[in-house]
Amino acid sequence: MTTQIPTFPHNDFAQNVFGRRSIRRFKPDVKIPRDEMIQILAEAGRAPSSMNLQPWRFVVVESAEGKAKLHDQVMTNTPQVETASALVIVFALAHPEHNAQEIYDAAVAQGSMDQATHDRELTEIAGFYGHAGEVPRTKIIGFDSGLVTMQLALVARAHGYDTCIIGGFEGPKVQAAFAPGEGLIPQIIVAMGKADEAGYPTVRLPIDEITTFA
Ligand SMILES: Cc1cc2nc3c(=O)[nH]c(=O)nc-3n(C[C@H](O)[C@H](O)[C@H](O)COP(=O)(O)O)c2cc1C
């Protein structure tokens, strides 16, 4: 099974990683075409996840009505809502095991997993989540959401867009207004568009201060 590797419009990895800064004001008239947004999200979704359960769901807020609703739920992050082309709300399934059957069946169907492995893994997943309490679930879905979010930020750059990852929002309100189904918890919002400011350089702790070898 080979994976089709796309070529990005802005394919310079170093530029995408080191040129990325959080952008909080975007050019307000830019629209991200629907096809491209779908492609960006699919590429972000190549991120790894625990047991490959991909607990994330995306809600793309791009309409004036959607933005107006979100505006009052984002604390000090209103400039991003006002100017971004789109704000992707990353939701996570409280029960990621609900994705297992579909994903593992598809792996067998595409020939990348044999039936015995499929059956063993599904049993393992059911066993693990059958006993997992809320704390490990919350940790796993938060971790997986972080991975897809970072990949989204980098893929967006590879398409020529900038981002601001936004954790400052009122979770219960965002959940009530935007959750695309039951059992979906908002994790983070990613504002996306064409930068209308340079952003500012930020400090990183010295690597030798935060690294030890054992
Ligand atoms: C989980 C998370 C939550 C964040 N929440 C906000 C936020 O609510 N508002 C904001 O302006 N920036 C937010 N940021 C952006 C950080 O402030 C920013 O990534 C950090 O200062 C480093 O700057 P850089 O992204 O330009 O490298 C968040 C980043 C992360 C990873």
Side-chain angles (χ1 to χ4, degrees), residues 94-97 128-142:
H95 288 272
E97 69 272 28
F128 174 77
Y129 279 106
H131 294 101
E134 203 184 323
V135 171
R137 281 173 190 282
T138 303
K139 182 179 155 200
I140 290 168
I141 65 175

Side-chain angles (χ1 to χ4, degrees), residues 13 52 59 70 124 143 189 201:
F13 183 72
N52 194 27
V59 173
L70 189 59
E124 254 174 49
F143 200 100
I189 300 173

Side-chain angles (χ1 to χ4, degrees), residues 32-50:
I32 301 176
R34 181 66 58 92
D35 288 356
E36 189 178 22
M37 178 59 84
I38 294 286
Q39 195 184 343
I40 288 170
L41 295 172
E43 289 161 356
R46 295 301 307 168
S49 58
S50 175

Side-chain angles (χ1 to χ4, degrees), residues 20-22 24 77 80 164-168 188 202 204:
R20 187 203 59 79
R21 286 178 178 177
S22 290
R24 297 174 175 89
N77 295 299
Q80 296 95 308
C164 183
I165 295 170
I166 300 173
I188 204 84
T202 49
R204 295 298 184 269

Side-chain angles (χ1 to χ4, degrees), residues 172-212:
K173 286 190 185 168
V174 169
Q175 182 162 13
F178 293 101
E182 289 297 308
L184 286 159
I185 305 159
Q187 304 290 313
I188 204 84
I189 300 173
V190 182
M192 200 184 295
K194 296 274 184 194
D196 201 19
E197 63 174 17
Y200 53 85
T202 49
V203 166
R204 295 298 184 269
L205 294 170
I207 195 65
D208 57 357
E209 192 181 307
I210 59 164
T211 308
T212 51

